[in-house]
Amino acid sequence: MPKLIIDDQEIEVASGTKVIQAAEQLGIMIPRFCYHPALGSVGACRVCAVKLLEGRLKGVQMSCMIDAQDGMVVSTTDEEAVDFRTHVIEWLMLNHPHDCPVCDEGGHCLLQDMTVSGGHGIRRYLGKKRTYQDQYLGPLIRHEMNRCIHCYRCSRFYQEFCGYRDLGALQSANRTYFGRFQDGILDSPFTGNLSDICPTGVYTDKPSRFRGRRWDYQRSPSLCIHCCLGCHTIATGRYREIVRQEARFSEAVNGHFICDRGRYGFFYANHEARPRRARVAGDEVSYDQALQALKAKLAEISKRSGPGAIACVSSDRSSLETQAVLKRIGRMRGWRNFSGFMPQGLAQKVQLAVARLEPALSVSLRELEGADFIVVVGADPINEAPMLALALRQARRKGAAIAVIDPRPIALPFDFQHVAMVPGAISLGLGLLARGSPDEAAIEKLGPPVSDFYAALPTPEVMNASDQKRLSPLIRDLRSSRRPVIVCGTAVGPATVVGLAADWALLLQAVGKKAGLFYLLPGANAFSAGILSDPEDTFEKTVEGIENGSIKALMLVENNPFWQFPDRARLEQALARLDLLVVLDYLNSAAAQQAHIFLPTATLYEIGGLFVNQEGRVQAAQRAHSGGIPIAQSGGGGHPPRIYGAGVPGAEPRPAWRTLAELVEEVVPPDEARMQSEVGVWLAEEDPRFADLPPFAELPEDGARLNHKRDGASRFLVNWTAELQKSRGFDDSFELLAVDWTFGTEELAVYSACLKALERKPGLLMHPDDAGRLGLTDGDEVAMQLDRGTLKVPVGVVANMAPGVIVLPRHRLLEWQRLACGRIRLERDRIRKAASPQGPKP
Amino acid sequence: MPSNYPQVLFQNRKPDRITTLEEYRQSGGYRALADVCKHWSPKDVQQEIMNANLLGRGGAAFPTGMKLMAVAEDAPYPRYIVCNADEMEPGTFKDRVLIHADPHMIIEGLILAGFAARAEEGIIFIRPEYENAARILEREIKIAREAGYLGQNILGNGYSLEIVVHRSAGRYICGEVTAQMNALMGKRPNPKVPPPYPTEKGLWGRPTVFQNVDTLACIPHVINNGAEWFKGLARTATGGGTKIFCVSGKVNRPGCYELPLGVPLREIIEEHAGGLPPGSEFKACLPGGASTRFLSKEFYEIEMDFESLRKVGHRLGTGAVMVFDHKTCLVAATLNLIEFFARESCGWCTPCREGLPYIRDLLRRIEEGEGREEFIPMLERMSKHLWSAYCAFAPGAVSPVEGLLTYFEDEVQEHIVQRKCPLK
Amino acid sequence: MLDEELRGSLTRKIAGIEHPRELVVDVMFALQEHYGYLSDEAVREAAELLDMSPLEVDEIATFYTFVYREPVGKYVIHVCDSVICWMGGYESLRDHLCRKLGIRLGETTADGLFTLLPVCCIGYCDRAPAMLVNRQVYGCLTPAKIDEIVAKLKDSAHMSGE
Ligand SMILES: Cc1cc2nc3c(=O)[nH]c(=O)nc-3n(C[C@H](O)[C@H](O)[C@H](O)COP(=O)(O)O)c2cc1C
Ligand code: SF4
Ligand code: FES
């Protein structure tokens, strides 16, 4: 622990700390451009110069490159160092276009700050400025190379940190250029970060271009709700509109960055089509009228058919408050409990994951970066939760071995082992890894139940030789690992895998490894939905209830079953049978349009909210603005905006929890602050896992983890005979998997026009063996015949996936809901080449 | 010709063709290797070179023995030995002359250095302008291989080495070893400050020793004749061996001269290079390539070795003596040198990438009669600050500017006062 | 398009080496030789051969002096403009060449025969002023010598049917 003096202040820091970091700990902000805590030091920009007065090294040195050492005396204010820094700024400004008035970075530009603080005010250089040509980099990022100061942050972030290969440094000397080989959309789904890390305006945020200055904006800490990771963001509002979102640093979750789906997914909140008025029977009415109508209708149905005829369904995009109030009032009124998961079997998997995530096993996204062996089962990081892929890459960069067991074609920005198996075989693969991982002798000593569990694990013979061969190097890596982590998805694998993942992690811990467990869940608040949902009640059952007449009223709270329920025709018929369909939402979804009573709700940007990420971390988003139709829309861009009325136009949407509370008199609609504390109490009553949380108003920045209960009873229970059966897949038919893609399948982000260009063309994917048997080649248009109709799509033939499955994205442009997917069989003769009008291709 | 100094590196040099393997052998070539293979350990070789006080001839004058010793005994394999034949320092052409004179001397040196470091792979990194030299080397490597000096189990010693010639595509920074490392690995040739040092983690993370062509050519002679003999070749106590001085500019006989370290500058210019052409008077010279400081006439008698120059704030660099006469404008010459450096900067760090074009602009203005009084302190300060650049390129680049301002400030002043180049 | 023979020989060379990236300059030179310059297509092909991305190849290609990312003439003349050649009369030789070829530095003659580029010290200071034509050196230049060289080059171009 070296002790040193910086500007007359003494400080002791961990060894390996750079002087620039040590100074930061003292609150001394040494200028920097190329240094970035996530990217490390490279010493390129030279603006962090300080003078070392005492110690082994002396003179002007770069504080980002020097390790703090005992006896060092550092001056950041020494004349020579200051003069050097001023020169560096002057050099950087030689060619800078000084176009701050029209530059979107103006106002939050590190170069501006450094120029002013570095004391460079008067231009001495008389020469001409160098100019560059800009490139088109896609819909998210604008390129203006003339502003570049060559700190190399972009190429280091893009290539080293993220692992993508289409943006980098070209040319040399003072002609050095950062860009692509040619104009085109950037490959990486993390490109928005370029605008955050670029210290000047080379990469600016395209969708928010010319929308305002940093000081015009209301910026508030928010959360991303486009997947289960709960990355921290800064939502930027202006004139009743979210104009931009940036990454917010989080030590425990996302570090410094976020993905493009999360950054640009917010446009649903501003969308023109967003419903802002309540509706009864299709007519716009006042909020109170709709509320009264709803109350009366619910009372009537309750009286007529009993409260059990009313079913309430929330979703994993609802805030914890909303889920809690719904749970509470449902209990008070005797309504049916809600369950928010649409695909078959998903609720069960989520609940199992939530139950099995013990505190001793759980690792955060950032802790994952410290693992030395990671096996990902039944998850597709880039497509389901992109920031997970980035965390995996950081682990890989530090030397971790990474393997993915999943039927889908998995692409990740680093090298890894992919074992593509049909979903049913994943548990077997995992079981084999588990068997190979410890010394058998060590297991003996542990005794039951571990030894029994171990003894029951499958032996290699149950698996075919080629899969065995692919698994064996993993076993070797695993054995030598000290901090293995298993990342387990809930999207495609069977439920057994979820439990098995936890059992295996326990087993590894029992043999002395620092093993960790990381689940992926289907949505932002899936964790709490999992806790609060009735395990017996699934949406499937709700539909059945409607069909058999036991459910008469359905209240959908921020839930659109048409998006995710895999059988559209059935759903339509069922909803049509209802006496009452109520929808509370901020999206004008298909369900909202059919609702008898519709009540608009506010988004998290207008009310904030609590969300529980996939590791059970409760985090808070704060309000970014107070609602209403964006002025740009209400005034058509003119000034003043011409909608006349007493209040803020379009400000009727309320928090869903508030509307729900108002339905039940006993639950007095409290103000927000009281609301949150009340919710805390209710939740603690509802489930002990919520008991130890701090009051929500006092949640730390990085949230607080739920105190998971240790579910000893469900440990080590695998029925291997049943698993063996499942693992065979279907001999004569395909298993159809509906999957998520980074862009185009997530319900909220599809409202963002800027993300549309990034969507891959939808189509189904299959293995070359299967395609060969069906006489299909890549790019063919196929027709899939289903009970309820035919779907025509192009087929992609890809080798890096499991044979025997068909992968179909839940793409907004596909009517996949007609297919009734899940683990469903699709006989091979139901899929064939669509007759093409032009005849066969040459 | 003037005084007869022992010709070691040039002993077989011919006016019109290379020395063949046979001729090299006859002059004692590959005897050192045979000897080493029979009786020496890698450590012995390192020690002998250390004792010989052989300083790197590539410009940095780092003790070669020390570098070889820096490769830890238990370091991983494969290890690499790289012959730096990039030679892009303006004014320097000794490596080219050496390759064309006696390629096997370099090959043998490379094998011996490789042996000392237990390297399995040798690479000759050569600039594209030396395509002929590259072909000569490729051909002679093959011949050496056929003669058993290269390949598996060299001369029955059990030691194996293969050598390949790697062609660069031209950039001065590629001569800097860490940049060269990146170039060899197919990356952008930006330098990378140690640690780790190349001798610890070099090419592909393996120990790698980089030596200049000239340095390697000395090694067979050190082994053959011993450290003491080698040291004795120099006239002064520090640094052993002869030195190839490449003289260019305003002299009657530009070219390479092998002379003892420590010969006076005057002797090099006047006796060996034939003095200045008629009507020319000595005004200044760069003693060791473009990245050294101008020496004015007051240094005319200085002993040209590493230490004597260092003592007076100069560097021997590559020993490329570039002579400027009284009719040559040193502001314009410096401008030309800075033009070179500004163009060749790798673009990694700010002082070099942006500072050099700035300096170029100031010098150009002065030369064109647009100079201002305040440019001089600006140049001084910037030159000083360029020493805090990322690599040694920038300090080298400003050396001529510093020399100009130190010894020829009057000439700069004249430009400013007269609002024109006084020599035009 | 790359002909099969060249592709085959490069593929074999790459396959025979532990770190293919080491060959990036060699591959670029080979493709440059084939296409006359390193065209975009050539960058893509080099990338494919070396399992790099086109950008990764271009990052290196654009760094170097002797990789031409734009079309050049049959003869690329690199005139040394560094200090010794400068002292030896570079400027007037350059002007002579420009006049003679009817182009400025950086340009190619209309008949596609000559491209004129400045270059840093080429290591022939003992024979200053000097220049390279397709990497062959010509030293101790005078206007007359330049005329002679240019005439010879033109002749041999005509003989080879250009
Ligand atoms: C900008 C720069 C360019 C250099 N160019 C060369 C060169 O062309 N040839 C060379 O041998 N050394 C060159 N060097 C020196 C090398 O970095 C290194 O010191 C040398 O090759 C080591 O070999 P030696 O110890 O045998 O001299 C250069 C150094 C710098 C900073
Ligand atoms: S001083 Fe900086 S820019 Fe110049 S060559 Fe070295 S690293 Fe590159
Ligand atoms: S921050 Fe230290 S050199 Fe850039």
Side-chain angles (χ1 to χ4, degrees):
Chain A
M1 297 276 284
K3 221 186 253 173
L4 69 164
I5 295 171
I6 306 176
D7 290 349
D8 301 329
Q9 303 175 63
E10 197 179 50
I11 183 168
E12 193 172 344
V13 292
S15 52
T17 307
K18 302 284 180 209
V19 172
I20 198 170
Q21 296 167 315
E24 215 169 308
Q25 290 175 24
L26 282 170
I28 301 167
M29 188 71 176
I30 299 174
R32 77 278 311 270
F33 287 121
C34 63
Y35 170 78
H36 184 287
L39 307 179
S41 316
V42 290
C45 77
R46 316 306 278 178
V47 83
C48 67
V50 295
K51 187 140 153 193
L52 304 187
L53 306 173
E54 302 282 333
R56 216 164 40 80
L57 259 157
K58 286 221 179 64
V60 172
Q61 296 288 345
M62 300 309 127
S63 59
C64 73
M65 297 292 278
I66 305 280
D67 283 341
Q69 276 160 17
D70 253 335
M72 240 179 201
V73 177
V74 180
S75 167
T76 70
T77 54
D78 171 90
E79 206 185 326
E80 194 186 344
V82 171
D83 190 56
F84 178 73
R85 294 202 302 259
T86 307
H87 271 83
V88 171
I89 303 284
E90 182 181 14
W91 289 326
L92 292 175
M93 292 304 288
L94 296 188
N95 291 294
H96 190 80
H98 287 113
D99 59 345
C100 314
V102 294
C103 173
D104 263 306
E105 193 76 2
H108 59 157
C109 173
L110 196 61
L111 182 60
Q112 277 183 334
D113 295 350
M114 293 302 135
T115 306
V116 174
S117 69
H120 170 62
I122 295 171
R123 187 172 181 80
R124 301 190 292 177
Y125 183 66
L126 299 164
K128 280 191 181 165
K129 289 181 185 180
R130 153 199 70 211
T131 54
Y132 294 112
Q133 279 187 349
D134 302 325
Q135 286 181 323
Y136 170 76
L137 301 179
L140 306 181
I141 291 294
R142 166 94 194 184
H143 194 223
E144 304 249 9
M145 255 309 285
N146 286 347
R147 298 175 183 149
C148 181
I149 57 164
H150 302 88
C151 67
Y152 287 79
R153 271 193 193 178
C154 59
S155 60
R156 289 163 58 217
F157 167 74
Y158 200 88
Q159 297 188 2
E160 292 167 23
F161 196 88
C162 297
Y164 289 83
R165 305 165 69 179
D166 61 318
L167 180 105
L170 297 150
Q171 303 283 350
S172 65
N174 76 338
R175 302 168 301 277
T176 304
Y177 184 91
F178 295 90
R180 300 184 84 242
F181 171 57
Q182 282 170 336
D183 284 27
I185 298 178
L186 292 164
D187 285 346
S188 156
F190 306 103
T191 60
N193 298 300
L194 289 171
S195 69
D196 288 357
I197 58 157
C198 173
T200 175
V202 178
Y203 303 95
T204 50
D205 189 80
K206 215 173 200 175
S208 68
R209 190 163 145 84
F210 297 152
R211 297 300 299 276
R213 290 281 178 223
R214 175 63 62 96
W215 58 79
D216 298 322
Y217 293 141
Q218 293 153 273
R219 302 175 74 240
S220 355
S222 193
L223 292 171
C224 172
I225 57 167
H226 301 280
C227 84
C228 63
L229 299 176
C231 295
H232 293 206
T233 67
I234 297 170
T236 292
R238 190 184 192 200
Y239 295 150
R240 303 201 295 250
E241 177 174 15
I242 300 298
V243 288
R244 175 172 181 177
Q245 202 160 231
E246 290 155 90
R248 177 163 59 101
F249 176 71
S250 155
E251 184 54 57
V253 184
N254 54 300
H256 289 85
F257 307 114
I258 53 172
C259 78
D260 289 343
R261 188 210 279 172
R263 179 182 299 258
Y264 297 101
F266 62 82
F267 286 92
Y268 68 90
N270 307 331
H271 206 268
E272 299 240 12
R274 192 174 145 190
R276 299 199 177 257
R277 307 250 6 231
R279 291 192 297 254
V280 173
D283 296 327
E284 291 194 347
V285 296
S286 80
Y287 193 88
D288 287 334
Q289 278 172 313
L291 193 69
Q292 291 319 319
L294 176 54
K295 272 188 185 175
K297 200 78 187 151
L298 288 172
E300 181 200 316
I301 292 173
S302 192
K303 199 156 160 209
R304 181 159 33 90
S305 313
I310 300 171
C312 304
V313 182
S314 170
S315 83
D316 51 24
R317 61 177 158 95
S318 280
S319 68
L320 182 57
E321 295 94 317
T322 298
Q323 290 179 349
V325 176
L326 187 58
K327 181 87 184 179
R328 183 78 172 181
I329 63 169
R331 189 182 294 289
M332 290 169 82
R333 283 292 190 261
W335 300 336
R336 290 209 191 196
N337 278 337
F338 74 92
S339 60
F341 304 103
M342 295 295 143
Q344 221 179 17
L346 184 59
Q348 190 203 351
K349 285 189 268 184
V350 172
Q351 283 172 343
L352 189 56
V354 166
R356 294 302 309 271
L357 194 66
E358 303 179 12
L361 293 179
S362 181
V363 290
S364 70
L365 192 60
R366 294 277 275 168
E367 282 162 351
L368 186 64
E369 295 179 6
D372 59 359
F373 176 87
I374 301 173
V375 58
V376 179
V377 287
D380 180 354
I382 275 286
N383 285 312
E384 294 183 47
M387 284 302 289
L388 170 61
L390 218 47
L392 292 171
R393 174 164 170 89
Q394 304 325 307
R396 177 78 198 103
R397 287 176 74 201
K398 290 182 212 148
I402 299 181
V404 181
I405 307 182
D406 192 279
R408 289 168 280 186
I410 304 285
L412 291 170
F414 50 86
D415 54 319
F416 66 102
Q417 261 263 349
H418 182 194
V419 184
M421 299 176 148
V422 295
I426 296 178
S427 23
L428 212 61
L430 206 53
L432 270 180
L433 280 184
R435 170 164 285 278
S437 50
D439 266 333
E440 304 210 4
I443 296 292
E444 291 295 307
K445 283 199 210 106
L446 294 169
V450 180
S451 57
D452 290 349
F453 168 74
Y454 184 79
L457 287 171
T459 46
E461 306 82 69
V462 299
M463 185 158 278
N464 67 44
S466 82
D467 283 344
Q468 261 185 56
K469 216 169 107 198
R470 284 185 298 165
L471 287 172
S472 59
L474 302 186
I475 292 177
R476 201 191 50 228
D477 288 337
L478 176 61
R479 275 175 168 259
S480 59
S481 75
R482 298 178 48 228
R483 279 160 301 149
V485 173
I486 167 157
V487 175
C488 176
T490 44
V492 298
T496 337
V497 174
V498 175
L500 190 55
D503 292 337
W504 183 32
L506 286 169
L507 174 81
L508 290 169
Q509 285 197 347
V511 299
K513 292 191 193 286
K514 272 197 78 188
L517 177 62
F518 187 99
Y519 284 120
L520 265 196
L521 301 180
N525 233 347
F527 198 97
S528 56
I531 295 180
L532 294 171
S533 290
D534 187 331
E536 301 307 317
D537 223 349
T538 63
F539 193 76
E540 184 79 17
K541 283 212 185 128
T542 308
V543 174
E544 273 167 29
I546 300 172
E547 284 165 344
N548 66 27
S550 62
I551 292 174
K552 303 281 184 207
L554 177 64
M555 182 147 65
L556 296 168
V557 181
E558 295 173 336
N559 187 328
N560 172 25
F562 287 104
W563 185 261
Q564 286 257 307
F565 190 71
D567 190 344
R568 183 166 190 137
R570 184 176 167 203
L571 182 65
E572 272 167 358
Q573 280 166 12
L575 295 191
R577 292 194 52 166
L578 284 169
D579 288 351
L580 176 64
L581 174 63
V582 188
V583 172
L584 278 68
D585 206 348
Y586 44 79
L587 300 177
N588 200 15
S589 65
Q593 289 169 34
Q594 289 180 24
H596 302 123
I597 300 180
F598 173 79
L599 283 151
T601 63
T603 69
L604 96 160
Y605 298 113
E606 295 131 36
I607 48 169
L610 297 164
F611 288 83
V612 188
N613 81 350
Q614 90 313 319
E615 54 152 337
R617 185 179 295 275
V618 185
Q619 310 187 102
Q622 268 156 47
R623 155 185 300 159
H625 66 97
S626 46
I629 299 179
I631 288 180
Q633 284 167 29
S634 67
H639 192 78
R642 294 183 199 285
I643 288 186
Y644 298 102
V648 174
E652 262 174 49
R654 297 185 195 180
W657 56 260
R658 187 178 201 98
T659 307
L660 292 171
E662 282 167 351
L663 286 178
V664 180
E665 275 88 41
E666 303 91 297
V667 184
V668 192
D671 63 53
E672 264 160 75
R674 278 209 20 234
M675 169 74 209
Q676 278 200 340
S677 62
E678 212 115 310
V679 163
V681 177
W682 297 343
L683 286 168
E685 283 170 19
E686 198 61 55
D687 193 292
R689 276 171 284 197
F690 290 105
D692 293 337
L693 286 178
F696 290 141
E698 290 161 29
L699 271 181
E701 189 110 331
D702 264 337
R705 254 204 224 164
L706 291 180
N707 181 15
H708 314 303
K709 78 176 160 217
R710 222 171 296 244
D711 185 1
S714 57
R715 283 183 187 168
F716 302 127
L717 302 173
V718 186
N719 176 352
W720 282 108
T721 334
E723 288 311 304
L724 278 176
Q725 214 102 57
K726 274 189 260 168
S727 71
R728 295 212 186 93
F730 307 121
D731 292 340
D732 54 339
S733 48
F734 291 107
E735 179 166 354
L736 188 58
L737 300 176
V739 304
D740 283 321
W741 276 359
T742 316
F743 302 110
T745 67
E746 194 271 322
E747 188 176 13
L748 300 178
V750 298
Y751 284 85
S752 299
C754 59
L755 295 179
K756 295 211 161 87
L758 306 177
E759 291 172 2
R760 281 156 65 195
K761 266 243 261 314
L764 60 78
L765 303 173
M766 63 167 74
H767 191 271
D769 291 354
D770 293 329
R773 227 170 303 157
L774 297 174
L776 297 174
T777 49
D778 191 66
D780 279 350
E781 177 97 355
V782 296
M784 255 195 293
Q785 266 228 310
L786 295 130
D787 295 342
R788 303 197 192 272
T790 305
L791 188 69
K792 271 196 188 169
V793 276
V795 63
V797 180
V798 284
N800 63 338
M801 62 178 281
V805 297
I806 284 183
V807 171
L808 185 72
R810 298 194 186 95
H811 203 284
R812 68 181 177 94
L813 298 175
L814 283 183
E815 288 187 81
W816 63 271
Q817 292 94 336
R818 290 218 229 134
L819 296 181
C821 334
R823 186 177 155 82
I824 69 152
R825 315 165 76 105
L826 185 71
E827 286 85 20
R828 288 180 192 270
D829 58 4
R830 299 251 217 132
I831 182 164
R832 57 193 151 64
K833 207 160 169 164
S836 88
Q838 296 92 356
K841 273 191 227 153
Chain B
M1 273 298 271
S3 39
N4 277 328
Y5 291 119
Q7 296 293 289
V8 180
L9 304 175
F10 279 165
Q11 57 182 279
N12 301 321
R13 186 182 180 190
K14 301 171 178 51
D16 52 350
R17 62 171 179 86
I18 69 157
T19 306
T20 61
L21 173 64
E22 209 33 59
E23 286 164 337
Y24 179 60
R25 268 206 210 118
Q26 276 162 16
S27 73
Y30 289 111
R31 214 179 58 207
L33 181 62
D35 204 27
V36 160
C37 282
K38 272 215 196 80
H39 309 294
W40 297 51
S41 72
K43 267 217 163 119
D44 298 337
V45 179
Q46 292 169 5
Q47 193 59 51
E48 195 67 28
I49 295 172
M50 188 73 201
N51 296 345
N53 215 352
L54 171 58
L55 303 181
R57 304 296 199 235
F62 188 83
T64 304
M66 222 142 104
K67 203 188 287 179
L68 290 169
M69 285 173 171
V71 179
E73 223 169 314
D74 57 354
Y77 292 94
R79 304 171 184 181
Y80 300 91
I81 174 91
V82 181
C83 167
N84 189 346
D86 199 50
E87 194 167 58
M88 281 194 65
E89 182 76 29
T92 313
F93 46 88
K94 63 189 173 63
D95 297 347
R96 185 198 87 223
V97 170
L98 261 173
I99 298 169
H100 283 268
D102 211 345
H104 285 283
M105 196 183 286
I106 298 152
I107 295 169
E108 188 184 4
L110 187 55
I111 303 169
L112 289 167
F115 178 86
R118 284 277 147 184
E120 296 164 6
E121 269 185 56
I123 301 165
I124 301 177
F125 185 97
I126 193 162
R127 63 182 300 186
E129 292 89 337
Y130 290 178
E131 180 56 30
N132 287 347
R135 290 192 190 155
I136 289 172
L137 285 168
E138 274 172 340
R139 190 184 65 212
E140 300 305 314
I141 286 167
K142 211 166 141 228
I143 293 173
R145 203 172 186 286
E146 280 158 11
Y149 301 128
L150 277 170
Q152 295 296 308
N153 190 16
I154 296 169
L155 303 183
N157 174 280
Y159 173 64
S160 306
L161 179 78
E162 296 290 352
I163 300 179
V164 296
V165 175
H166 179 104
R167 285 167 175 79
S168 175
R171 275 295 170 209
Y172 173 60
I173 191 63
C174 295
E176 199 280 338
V177 290
T178 57
Q180 189 160 101
M181 223 161 73
N182 280 329
L184 280 168
M185 293 190 288
K187 298 189 193 162
R188 275 173 73 80
N190 294 120
K192 168 89 183 57
V193 285
Y197 288 89
T199 44
E200 184 195 326
K201 281 201 161 98
L203 290 172
W204 296 286
R206 297 309 162 107
T208 307
V209 175
F210 289 84
Q211 295 293 340
N212 175 253
V213 170
D214 190 353
T215 315
L216 291 172
C218 292
I219 293 180
H221 307 290
V222 170
I223 303 293
N224 270 340
N225 304 307
E228 284 313 311
W229 167 85
F230 190 77
K231 271 201 282 196
L233 289 173
R235 272 213 195 163
T236 43
T238 55
T242 57
K243 175 86 198 79
I244 298 176
F245 291 95
C246 19
V247 191
S248 63
K250 295 289 181 190
V251 288
N252 284 321
R253 284 197 301 272
C256 279
Y257 301 96
E258 183 178 11
L259 305 169
L261 266 169
V263 291
L265 175 60
R266 184 198 45 74
E267 184 186 322
I268 299 176
I269 295 173
E270 296 198 345
E271 294 184 22
H272 306 285
L276 276 73
S280 275
E281 273 170 44
F282 178 89
K283 179 176 182 180
C285 80
L286 290 167
S291 46
T292 55
R293 306 171 92 189
F294 285 109
L295 290 179
S296 59
K297 184 92 189 215
E298 66 190 85
F299 296 99
Y300 210 41
E301 295 298 335
I302 195 164
E303 292 176 337
M304 292 285 278
D305 79 352
F306 296 103
E307 190 56 25
S308 340
L309 279 168
R310 204 186 55 78
K311 270 202 216 126
V312 292
H314 287 267
R315 285 194 318 118
L316 186 62
T318 59
V321 179
M322 302 150 88
V323 179
F324 301 86
D325 69 354
H326 72 293
K327 286 178 285 187
T328 306
C329 169
L330 287 189
V331 174
T334 311
L335 171 60
N336 178 287
L337 290 162
I338 288 296
E339 178 75 47
F340 164 84
F341 287 112
R343 197 196 284 164
E344 292 298 301
S345 162
C346 83
W348 176 249
C349 72
T350 311
C352 176
R353 185 186 61 244
E354 308 292 349
L356 291 175
Y358 199 158
I359 291 176
R360 172 181 61 192
D361 185 71
L362 294 175
L363 287 172
R364 182 182 292 150
R365 281 171 202 282
I366 294 173
E367 174 63 12
E368 287 172 0
E370 296 164 19
R372 296 189 202 151
E373 201 56 49
E374 70 262 26
F375 285 3
I376 294 178
M378 280 168 78
L379 283 169
E380 264 162 7
R381 280 235 246 159
M382 270 188 232
S383 306
K384 191 174 116 256
H385 286 324
L386 255 75
W387 283 78
S388 296
Y390 185 82
C391 81
F393 179 107
V398 292
S399 292
V401 182
E402 290 172 336
L404 176 76
L405 297 175
T406 311
Y407 304 111
F408 303 96
E409 198 189 328
D410 289 352
E411 189 173 331
V412 183
Q413 285 286 3
E414 261 179 84
H415 279 77
I416 295 173
V417 174
Q418 295 183 23
R419 303 194 148 277
K420 69 176 192 56
C421 174
L423 287 154
K424 248 185 210 156
Chain C
M1 268 287 286
L2 265 190
D3 59 74
E4 281 316 307
E5 198 185 317
L6 181 57
R7 180 189 297 278
S9 81
L10 289 175
T11 310
R12 273 192 304 281
K13 221 172 139 187
I14 290 165
I17 194 164
E18 197 185 342
H19 306 283
R21 257 191 180 226
E22 184 182 323
L23 293 176
V24 63
V25 169
D26 288 350
V27 170
M28 288 192 302
F29 276 161
L31 297 192
Q32 175 162 291
E33 179 85 22
H34 177 79
Y35 287 95
Y37 72 106
L38 198 75
S39 61
D40 288 355
E41 187 188 350
V43 170
R44 279 198 211 90
E45 276 166 330
E48 196 194 309
L49 284 165
L50 293 159
D51 195 19
M52 292 166 76
S53 75
L55 177 268
E56 285 169 334
V57 171
D58 214 15
E59 281 187 309
I60 296 158
T62 54
F63 192 95
Y64 288 117
T65 314
F66 283 84
V67 177
Y68 312 125
R69 284 287 279 114
E70 282 171 45
V72 288
K74 184 177 164 74
Y75 301 108
V76 183
I77 306 182
H78 281 282
V79 204
C80 174
D81 65 359
S82 288
V83 70
I84 301 299
C85 290
W86 165 80
M87 236 187 323
Y90 153 76
E91 280 166 2
S92 65
L93 285 176
R94 172 200 61 199
D95 294 345
H96 181 79
L97 261 168
C98 286
R99 262 196 315 275
K100 172 109 196 145
L101 300 174
I103 52 175
R104 286 173 303 185
L105 281 183
E107 292 179 347
T108 302
T109 52
D111 57 7
L113 272 190
F114 298 98
T115 297
L116 192 57
L117 295 167
V119 73
C120 291
C121 176
I122 52 175
Y124 288 88
C125 316
D126 50 345
R127 284 188 253 158
M131 68 182 193
L132 295 174
V133 181
N134 292 358
R135 290 206 226 164
Q136 283 305 310
V137 68
Y138 297 86
C140 305
L141 294 173
T142 58
K145 208 162 162 189
I146 283 181
D147 292 347
E148 203 180 301
I149 294 164
V150 169
K152 241 199 218 138
L153 291 173
K154 274 188 180 159
D155 270 358
S156 70
H158 287 212
M159 295 223 296
S160 67
E162 296 274 331

